[in-house]
Amino acid sequence: CVAVALMLLNGRSQRKRFKFPLRPVWAESLLGVVACAAILGAVWIANSYPWPIGIVRQYAQRNGITIPEGGLFIAHGIAIPVLIAVAVGIVMTFITRRTRFGRYVFAIGGNPEAAELAGINTRWVTMKVFMIMGVLAAISAAIASARLNAATNALGTLDELLVIAAAVIGGTSLAGGSGTVLGAMLGALLMQSLQSGMVLLGIDSPLQSVVVGAVLVVAVWLDTVYRKRV
């Protein structure tokens, strides 16, 4: 809630600084209350579900905890990878929307030649983009290795299709120049939900790849149609 309040105050000060229209104070306050309520509600829901009995028993035995007669309640809470994803999303959104580097990235994605003629060092910006990609890949690899409690050199193989599909579904254009971090994260959530559903239905792995590819083709086709109309 403190972060929400700081973001609202910073946004209001920036609009006032550049002489943009200001929202009424009551609207800002209502927006802050709704955001805080959503955050607290999500935390409350996450803490309302206990661990399964078998996992609780193993945890108690491993840590020497005596389980009472009524059982031991340990809330699920919010998973650490989710918190890391939210933090990364906030940082990347700030970089892409509030920094000169982010503007340069969108400019290069839209038209590299025009960006270079405008004085942007396209090679250096591209190098920075690959450096950021390396850091994000390292974070995701660390999370995946921690979750599986193992690591192989084939970890994440063929996940590129899921990543591209998630970005396109989230509104990122393959032609470049448009897209949001939030949209890409929502697209990733949708693709993961689709893949988990296919696993629960017992669909074979090759057929899962076919379904993901079909979703990607449809998303690219819709993006192409939209860009032609615009």
mmCIF file of all heavy atoms in Angstrom, residues 177-201:
data_model
loop_
_atom_site.group_PDB
_atom_site.id
_atom_site.type_symbol
_atom_site.label_atom_id
_atom_site.label_comp_id
_atom_site.label_asym_id
_atom_site.label_seq_id
_atom_site.Cartn_x
_atom_site.Cartn_y
_atom_site.Cartn_z
ATOM 1 N N GLY A 177 8.215 -2.184 -32.182
ATOM 2 C CA GLY A 177 7.725 -0.837 -31.942
ATOM 3 C C GLY A 177 6.536 -0.726 -31.026
ATOM 4 O O GLY A 177 6.132 0.385 -30.680
ATOM 5 N N SER A 178 5.943 -1.827 -30.601
ATOM 6 C CA SER A 178 4.779 -1.761 -29.725
ATOM 7 C C SER A 178 4.760 -2.980 -28.813
ATOM 8 O O SER A 178 5.265 -4.043 -29.172
ATOM 9 C CB SER A 178 3.474 -1.699 -30.534
ATOM 10 O OG SER A 178 3.300 -2.878 -31.292
ATOM 11 N N GLY A 179 4.160 -2.786 -27.645
ATOM 12 C CA GLY A 179 4.070 -3.872 -26.678
ATOM 13 C C GLY A 179 4.273 -3.355 -25.268
ATOM 14 O O GLY A 179 4.808 -2.259 -25.066
ATOM 15 N N THR A 180 3.833 -4.132 -24.302
ATOM 16 C CA THR A 180 3.978 -3.772 -22.897
ATOM 17 C C THR A 180 4.470 -4.979 -22.108
ATOM 18 O O THR A 180 4.234 -6.133 -22.496
ATOM 19 C CB THR A 180 2.646 -3.287 -22.292
ATOM 20 O OG1 THR A 180 1.675 -4.343 -22.380
ATOM 21 C CG2 THR A 180 2.125 -2.061 -23.025
ATOM 22 N N VAL A 181 5.136 -4.705 -21.008
ATOM 23 C CA VAL A 181 5.606 -5.781 -20.132
ATOM 24 C C VAL A 181 4.423 -6.483 -19.478
ATOM 25 O O VAL A 181 4.391 -7.715 -19.370
ATOM 26 C CB VAL A 181 6.563 -5.216 -19.069
ATOM 27 C CG1 VAL A 181 6.982 -6.307 -18.091
ATOM 28 C CG2 VAL A 181 7.786 -4.598 -19.727
ATOM 29 N N LEU A 182 3.430 -5.703 -19.049
ATOM 30 C CA LEU A 182 2.251 -6.295 -18.423
ATOM 31 C C LEU A 182 1.527 -7.217 -19.395
ATOM 32 O O LEU A 182 1.088 -8.312 -19.020
ATOM 33 C CB LEU A 182 1.314 -5.185 -17.938
ATOM 34 C CG LEU A 182 -0.001 -5.650 -17.299
ATOM 35 C CD1 LEU A 182 0.267 -6.522 -16.080
ATOM 36 C CD2 LEU A 182 -0.870 -4.453 -16.930
ATOM 37 N N GLY A 183 1.392 -6.790 -20.642
ATOM 38 C CA GLY A 183 0.737 -7.638 -21.629
ATOM 39 C C GLY A 183 1.484 -8.940 -21.846
ATOM 40 O O GLY A 183 0.874 -10.009 -21.961
ATOM 41 N N ALA A 184 2.813 -8.870 -21.896
ATOM 42 C CA ALA A 184 3.608 -10.083 -22.068
ATOM 43 C C ALA A 184 3.450 -11.021 -20.873
ATOM 44 O O ALA A 184 3.377 -12.249 -21.038
ATOM 45 C CB ALA A 184 5.074 -9.721 -22.268
ATOM 46 N N MET A 185 3.379 -10.460 -19.667
ATOM 47 C CA MET A 185 3.204 -11.297 -18.479
ATOM 48 C C MET A 185 1.826 -11.949 -18.469
ATOM 49 O O MET A 185 1.685 -13.123 -18.104
ATOM 50 C CB MET A 185 3.411 -10.453 -17.220
ATOM 51 C CG MET A 185 4.832 -9.933 -17.061
ATOM 52 S SD MET A 185 5.072 -8.939 -15.578
ATOM 53 C CE MET A 185 4.905 -10.185 -14.305
ATOM 54 N N LEU A 186 0.809 -11.211 -18.882
ATOM 55 C CA LEU A 186 -0.527 -11.805 -18.976
ATOM 56 C C LEU A 186 -0.562 -12.883 -20.056
ATOM 57 O O LEU A 186 -1.217 -13.922 -19.891
ATOM 58 C CB LEU A 186 -1.561 -10.717 -19.270
ATOM 59 C CG LEU A 186 -1.800 -9.693 -18.158
ATOM 60 C CD1 LEU A 186 -2.802 -8.636 -18.615
ATOM 61 C CD2 LEU A 186 -2.300 -10.380 -16.890
ATOM 62 N N GLY A 187 0.137 -12.643 -21.160
ATOM 63 C CA GLY A 187 0.226 -13.669 -22.192
ATOM 64 C C GLY A 187 0.931 -14.917 -21.695
ATOM 65 O O GLY A 187 0.525 -16.042 -22.009
ATOM 66 N N ALA A 188 1.983 -14.733 -20.898
ATOM 67 C CA ALA A 188 2.680 -15.887 -20.318
ATOM 68 C C ALA A 188 1.767 -16.656 -19.366
ATOM 69 O O ALA A 188 1.779 -17.894 -19.339
ATOM 70 C CB ALA A 188 3.935 -15.416 -19.586
ATOM 71 N N LEU A 189 0.966 -15.926 -18.588
ATOM 72 C CA LEU A 189 0.016 -16.585 -17.686
ATOM 73 C C LEU A 189 -1.007 -17.389 -18.475
ATOM 74 O O LEU A 189 -1.348 -18.525 -18.104
ATOM 75 C CB LEU A 189 -0.679 -15.531 -16.821
ATOM 76 C CG LEU A 189 -1.719 -16.043 -15.821
ATOM 77 C CD1 LEU A 189 -1.072 -16.973 -14.802
ATOM 78 C CD2 LEU A 189 -2.399 -14.876 -15.107
ATOM 79 N N LEU A 190 -1.470 -16.825 -19.581
ATOM 80 C CA LEU A 190 -2.443 -17.536 -20.416
ATOM 81 C C LEU A 190 -1.829 -18.785 -21.034
ATOM 82 O O LEU A 190 -2.442 -19.865 -21.037
ATOM 83 C CB LEU A 190 -2.959 -16.598 -21.506
ATOM 84 C CG LEU A 190 -3.960 -17.197 -22.498
ATOM 85 C CD1 LEU A 190 -5.212 -17.673 -21.771
ATOM 86 C CD2 LEU A 190 -4.327 -16.180 -23.570
ATOM 87 N N MET A 191 -0.607 -18.669 -21.549
ATOM 88 C CA MET A 191 0.036 -19.823 -22.172
ATOM 89 C C MET A 191 0.338 -20.910 -21.145
ATOM 90 O O MET A 191 0.195 -22.103 -21.433
ATOM 91 C CB MET A 191 1.325 -19.382 -22.869
ATOM 92 C CG MET A 191 1.108 -18.499 -24.086
ATOM 93 S SD MET A 191 0.026 -19.249 -25.317
ATOM 94 C CE MET A 191 0.911 -20.763 -25.679
ATOM 95 N N GLN A 192 0.754 -20.517 -19.945
ATOM 96 C CA GLN A 192 1.017 -21.516 -18.911
ATOM 97 C C GLN A 192 -0.270 -22.206 -18.480
ATOM 98 O O GLN A 192 -0.277 -23.417 -18.225
ATOM 99 C CB GLN A 192 1.690 -20.854 -17.709
ATOM 100 C CG GLN A 192 2.101 -21.827 -16.620
ATOM 101 C CD GLN A 192 3.070 -22.878 -17.121
ATOM 102 O OE1 GLN A 192 4.044 -22.565 -17.797
ATOM 103 N NE2 GLN A 192 2.811 -24.138 -16.800
ATOM 104 N N SER A 193 -1.360 -21.444 -18.409
ATOM 105 C CA SER A 193 -2.649 -22.053 -18.073
ATOM 106 C C SER A 193 -3.071 -23.043 -19.153
ATOM 107 O O SER A 193 -3.586 -24.131 -18.853
ATOM 108 C CB SER A 193 -3.711 -20.960 -17.911
ATOM 109 O OG SER A 193 -3.352 -20.055 -16.889
ATOM 110 N N LEU A 194 -2.841 -22.667 -20.414
ATOM 111 C CA LEU A 194 -3.167 -23.570 -21.520
ATOM 112 C C LEU A 194 -2.341 -24.845 -21.451
ATOM 113 O O LEU A 194 -2.868 -25.958 -21.604
ATOM 114 C CB LEU A 194 -2.932 -22.849 -22.851
ATOM 115 C CG LEU A 194 -3.147 -23.672 -24.125
ATOM 116 C CD1 LEU A 194 -4.598 -24.121 -24.236
ATOM 117 C CD2 LEU A 194 -2.748 -22.862 -25.355
ATOM 118 N N GLN A 195 -1.047 -24.699 -21.195
ATOM 119 C CA GLN A 195 -0.182 -25.873 -21.132
ATOM 120 C C GLN A 195 -0.526 -26.760 -19.937
ATOM 121 O O GLN A 195 -0.564 -27.992 -20.054
ATOM 122 C CB GLN A 195 1.276 -25.441 -21.059
ATOM 123 C CG GLN A 195 2.265 -26.593 -21.187
ATOM 124 C CD GLN A 195 3.702 -26.129 -21.149
ATOM 125 O OE1 GLN A 195 4.004 -25.112 -20.538
ATOM 126 N NE2 GLN A 195 4.593 -26.862 -21.793
ATOM 127 N N SER A 196 -0.801 -26.146 -18.790
ATOM 128 C CA SER A 196 -1.177 -26.941 -17.613
ATOM 129 C C SER A 196 -2.486 -27.683 -17.853
ATOM 130 O O SER A 196 -2.645 -28.842 -17.442
ATOM 131 C CB SER A 196 -1.303 -26.023 -16.392
ATOM 132 O OG SER A 196 -0.073 -25.385 -16.107
ATOM 133 N N GLY A 197 -3.425 -27.019 -18.520
ATOM 134 C CA GLY A 197 -4.685 -27.686 -18.833
ATOM 135 C C GLY A 197 -4.490 -28.876 -19.752
ATOM 136 O O GLY A 197 -5.116 -29.935 -19.557
ATOM 137 N N MET A 198 -3.614 -28.736 -20.740
ATOM 138 C CA MET A 198 -3.359 -29.864 -21.641
ATOM 139 C C MET A 198 -2.677 -31.015 -20.909
ATOM 140 O O MET A 198 -2.937 -32.189 -21.201
ATOM 141 C CB MET A 198 -2.511 -29.393 -22.829
ATOM 142 C CG MET A 198 -3.253 -28.484 -23.792
ATOM 143 S SD MET A 198 -2.333 -28.137 -25.313
ATOM 144 C CE MET A 198 -0.975 -27.153 -24.662
ATOM 145 N N VAL A 199 -1.805 -30.693 -19.961
ATOM 146 C CA VAL A 199 -1.157 -31.752 -19.176
ATOM 147 C C VAL A 199 -2.186 -32.493 -18.329
ATOM 148 O O VAL A 199 -2.177 -33.729 -18.237
ATOM 149 C CB VAL A 199 -0.045 -31.153 -18.291
ATOM 150 C CG1 VAL A 199 0.476 -32.197 -17.311
ATOM 151 C CG2 VAL A 199 1.091 -30.631 -19.156
ATOM 152 N N LEU A 200 -3.097 -31.746 -17.704
ATOM 153 C CA LEU A 200 -4.129 -32.381 -16.882
ATOM 154 C C LEU A 200 -5.073 -33.235 -17.722
ATOM 155 O O LEU A 200 -5.606 -34.244 -17.243
ATOM 156 C CB LEU A 200 -4.924 -31.310 -16.130
ATOM 157 C CG LEU A 200 -4.154 -30.531 -15.055
ATOM 158 C CD1 LEU A 200 -5.023 -29.436 -14.463
ATOM 159 C CD2 LEU A 200 -3.667 -31.472 -13.954
ATOM 160 N N LEU A 201 -5.280 -32.840 -18.971
ATOM 161 C CA LEU A 201 -6.141 -33.621 -19.862
ATOM 162 C C LEU A 201 -5.421 -34.826 -20.459
ATOM 163 O O LEU A 201 -6.045 -35.634 -21.155
ATOM 164 C CB LEU A 201 -6.669 -32.732 -20.991
ATOM 165 C CG LEU A 201 -7.664 -31.644 -20.579
ATOM 166 C CD1 LEU A 201 -8.003 -30.757 -21.769
ATOM 167 C CD2 LEU A 201 -8.932 -32.259 -19.997
#
